[in-house]
Amino acid sequence: MSTTVILYGTESGNAELVAEDLAAELEGEREVSVYDMSDFDVADFDAENFYLVVCSTHGDGELPGGATPLFEALNSERPNLSGIRYAMFGLGNSTYETYSQGSEIIDRRLTELGAKRVGVYGRHDACDGSLPNDGAVEWARELLVLV
Amino acid sequence: MHRSELSTVNGELAVFAPATHSIAIVGSGPSGCYVAHFLRKRWPTSEIVIFDRLDLPYGLVRYGVAPDHTGTKAVARQFDRLFEQSGVRFVGGTEIGRHITVDQLREAFDVTVLATGLSADRALEIPGATSNVPRATTLPAGADVTGAALAGIYGSGRVTRLINGHPDESANGVVFGSRIAIVGQGNVAVDLLRMFLMSPEELRGHGVADEVVNAIAAGPVRHIDIVGRSSLSRAKFDPAMIRELARIPNVRFLADPSELHDADTEPRDSAKCDALLNLLAAASAASAVDGAQNTDAAAGSDRTVRFHFGWVPERIEGDDTVEALIFRSADGIQSSFRLAVDSVLTAIGFFEAEDAPVRRQAHESHDSDLDIGRLGPGLFCVGWLRRGPQGTIPANRTDAKMVADVIGAAADAGEFFPGKPGFSGLNLPTLNCPHRPRPHDL
């Protein structure tokens, strides 16, 4: 049975809360599991599942600390991810030139390894101090109708 | 034997569930809120109470982050959910160590976590700067600091609290003048720089109180020197903080080119160097345009900021108030230089005030293991109070996660058991003292 796996990479915790809200929204209608990218083993990527990736941006357009272990594992183990489908939701702040670039780093690597991104690349801009949660839930709703 | 209680799930099924832990957290800044978040994830039904001496929660997020950094302040929206959705209780206006002792908390709660941070400004230990704040370090031999502190020296913590409306701070008697020196090269120093370059309208737009806006606007600020002992390569500010400065209108950024190209043996941090060099280049290009097209001095581009690298503050001169700040070169090659200034803002770090009502040391014993945040049975510390004044808000999230895991492991190992009464077990009459506001919930 296909599971919707929510992977979050966070620095200050916002992406974690988005992941929790997505899970709460989707549970009941589908099988959902949530992982901090720090706790996710690259060997567990499964073409049977669909991945919702939520990732913030840290500092100067870098990956958030929580995404670094997974990114490094992808680099060193170079798993073949062909057949893996995922959707991406990036958090950032457009006050900075590096808006939302953290998620793009992980997105590029997943694509290079053969995974296929589907649907709209979701983004939230925190420049007005708003929380990304509602926008992310709406994004996931629209996206999951299609996949 | 664990105390057990009857609980119902979905109103259908009655089961014996293990009793839950009661948890008191002292301090509602980022570390306290994050540790509440991780403990709530571990124990969904435990009683979690966060105490704060102030009426409003969030500590450093509310009072220590520059008001224009709304993205950083937005973490408060995350913490709101603790109190609105996760059943964590906020008890403000209640100072642990004064109204309730830590021991009283430990009697009432299974777990007590100290998360009071470090809020005292580290002071410049040089003649002219001795002040009424406690000293962080011992003085170098022969340093003459017996004189009274001059007026016009302000720590970054104090200034940031003032700008953010902290109830302990007042703009009475605060004079910044038109020439300001900022001592420090970290992100806090750059925060100060940005705040003092904001227009009164911008400051008001960020909710800064009129008397504080007036204190800043009274100068008005014409020139700021930002000085530190490190070379550009080793300065601690982040490149993004420097790039942000380029958006400030009507100001020229300057530096002595000889101070930018140091013979540092460390690999150059190119992003940081590029950020500053770009800022200086943009400023000089803009002033060239100004020179060609606009000779009107009233245009407002006469504000200047000068970066200085490799200078150590030596003394502050003045009669009663600051008149000049004297530096010697960090490499000892050049002599010294003198800045005529109206005020000195220090951004050189934080430490634990000697009069802080909760002091970590008072709770340390042979039984403590600070590396994991354990002070004693059922007593823990987290964040800056645990590991010192290093790291940003996300670093304290990581710290809180670690300490929450340690607390969970200690519970699993049977170091403490559920069973204490929690908030209802506190001896509340001590809080009904007529001089103090009653504790109240958020």
Side-chain angles (χ1 to χ4, degrees):
Chain A
M1 158 113 191
S2 170
T3 300
T4 302
V5 179
I6 303 170
L7 287 178
Y8 65 89
T10 194
E11 185 77 25
S12 68
N14 283 322
E16 180 186 20
L17 293 190
V18 169
E20 286 175 4
D21 279 8
L22 289 177
E25 178 75 12
L26 302 175
E27 268 164 6
E29 53 192 73
R30 57 181 72 221
E31 202 60 38
V32 178
S33 58
V34 182
Y35 291 93
D36 187 327
M37 285 188 196
S38 309
D39 304 327
F40 188 78
D41 188 338
V42 289
D44 291 341
F45 273 113
D46 184 343
E48 178 97 334
N49 298 334
F50 183 72
Y51 293 85
L52 289 176
V53 184
V54 182
C55 186
S56 67
T57 304
H58 171 56
D60 215 16
E62 294 140 39
L63 278 176
T68 312
L70 181 68
F71 182 71
E72 284 171 359
L74 290 171
N75 286 347
S76 59
E77 296 176 31
R78 315 277 317 167
N80 178 1
L81 297 183
S82 54
I84 302 293
R85 295 180 315 138
Y86 71 98
M88 181 65 73
F89 193 87
L91 311 186
N93 185 332
S94 66
T95 335
Y96 298 96
E97 289 167 30
T98 56
Y99 169 57
S100 207
Q101 285 180 10
S103 66
E104 292 169 16
I105 296 172
I106 201 97
D107 177 65
R108 268 197 304 277
R109 187 48 39 94
L110 290 173
T111 304
E112 279 165 19
L113 293 170
K116 183 171 168 46
R117 174 157 50 79
V118 299
V120 175
Y121 196 124
R123 292 185 200 269
H124 176 262
D125 184 354
C127 71
D128 61 355
S130 67
L131 279 185
N133 301 53
D134 292 348
V137 166
E138 197 178 314
W139 162 82
R141 279 258 159 250
E142 288 174 11
L143 184 112
L144 289 171
V145 171
L146 304 173
V147 296
Chain B
M1 202 43 205
H2 293 205
R3 191 185 63 154
S4 290
E5 61 195 27
L6 203 60
S7 68
T8 59
V9 176
N10 297 331
E12 294 167 357
L13 166 78
V15 293
F16 281 100
T20 57
H21 295 92
S22 54
I23 299 152
I25 296 167
V26 185
S28 65
S31 296
C33 286
Y34 279 130
V35 87
H37 167 76
F38 290 115
L39 289 172
R40 170 55 80 227
K41 271 190 145 177
R42 177 176 292 268
W43 291 317
T45 57
S46 59
E47 181 189 18
I48 302 178
V49 183
I50 304 184
F51 295 88
D52 203 290
R53 72 184 186 88
L54 300 177
D55 291 346
L56 296 173
Y58 308 148
L60 174 133
V61 175
R62 187 182 297 274
Y63 300 114
V65 173
D68 59 329
H69 272 183
T70 47
T72 306
K73 284 198 181 271
V75 75
R77 304 281 307 275
Q78 244 190 73
F79 299 153
D80 286 341
R81 291 163 56 123
L82 289 172
F83 306 114
E84 290 165 1
Q85 297 173 26
S86 302
V88 175
R89 184 172 188 179
F90 177 72
V91 179
T94 304
E95 188 159 14
I96 305 304
R98 205 156 283 167
H99 305 127
I100 303 173
T101 65
V102 171
D103 286 344
Q104 284 174 307
L105 279 189
R106 295 178 74 185
E107 279 164 30
F109 291 85
D110 300 312
V111 177
T112 300
V113 188
L114 306 181
T116 45
L118 300 172
S119 59
D121 284 302
R122 195 161 83 77
L124 278 173
E125 302 281 357
I126 57 173
T130 49
S131 59
N132 53 5
V133 300
R135 295 214 180 107
T137 53
T138 50
L139 297 170
D144 170 21
V145 291
T146 50
L150 299 171
I153 304 169
Y154 305 99
S156 63
R158 181 179 170 197
V159 172
T160 311
R161 285 192 295 273
L162 180 67
I163 285 176
N164 281 301
H166 191 292
D168 289 354
E169 304 294 345
S170 158
N172 277 344
V174 170
V175 178
F176 297 113
S178 61
R179 298 164 307 170
I180 297 172
I182 298 173
V183 178
Q185 295 169 308
N187 290 337
V188 174
V190 184
D191 277 337
L192 289 177
L193 182 58
R194 229 178 39 256
M195 288 190 275
F196 279 85
L197 291 172
M198 281 186 215
S199 68
E201 294 72 30
E202 280 175 280
L203 288 166
R204 282 192 200 94
H206 289 300
V208 179
D210 281 345
E211 60 269 28
V212 179
V213 175
N214 294 341
I216 294 171
V221 178
R222 283 289 167 216
H223 180 73
I224 300 177
D225 288 285
I226 177 163
V227 196
R229 66 173 64 216
S230 298
S231 62
L232 171 56
S233 315
R234 290 174 185 243
K236 288 204 177 93
F237 52 70
D238 288 323
M241 296 284 291
I242 297 298
R243 282 201 291 271
E244 206 180 345
L245 297 173
R247 284 189 229 112
I248 303 173
N250 302 329
V251 58
R252 282 185 298 136
F253 293 93
L254 309 165
D256 182 334
S258 69
E259 292 179 16
L260 302 176
H261 302 287
D262 51 85
D264 207 307
T265 53
E266 293 291 303
R268 288 175 73 85
D269 178 341
S270 60
K272 191 164 54 192
C273 295
D274 290 351
L276 191 75
L277 295 175
N278 288 340
L279 181 71
L280 299 171
S284 90
S287 72
V289 171
D290 275 354
Q293 299 180 353
N294 178 13
T295 50
D296 183 3
S301 62
D302 52 346
R303 295 194 302 174
T304 48
V305 170
R306 185 174 285 274
F307 287 87
H308 305 264
F309 297 94
W311 295 98
V312 182
E314 197 165 57
R315 65 182 188 280
I316 301 175
E317 293 178 349
D319 280 337
D320 300 313
T321 61
V322 171
E323 288 168 20
L325 181 51
I326 319 300
F327 296 86
R328 63 182 159 79
S329 75
D331 59 14
I333 296 168
Q334 298 169 76
S335 52
S336 67
F337 87 103
R338 181 178 195 277
L339 287 176
V341 292
D342 303 315
S343 62
V344 175
L345 311 184
T346 61
I348 54 173
F350 299 91
F351 73 112
E352 187 179 62
E354 276 165 25
D355 62 351
V358 174
R359 301 207 64 190
R360 190 188 72 194
Q361 212 177 15
H363 303 284
E364 289 175 39
S365 69
H366 65 281
D367 208 17
S368 302
D369 183 353
L370 286 176
D371 287 347
I372 59 168
R374 185 178 191 281
L375 286 168
L379 182 66
F380 299 86
C381 59
V382 67
W384 275 18
L385 188 73
R386 181 185 81 75
R387 63 176 209 288
Q390 265 89 44
T392 55
I393 291 171
N396 285 312
R397 178 179 179 276
T398 308
D399 204 70
K401 192 173 191 219
M402 185 274 288
V403 172
D405 286 344
V406 166
I407 294 170
D412 293 345
E415 268 190 45
F416 49 82
F417 299 103
K420 291 184 181 172
F423 188 73
S424 64
L426 280 178
N427 185 16
L428 286 179
T430 58
L431 296 171
N432 291 335
C433 163
H435 305 297
R436 294 296 311 176
R438 283 180 59 84
H440 48 81
D441 290 17
L442 182 69

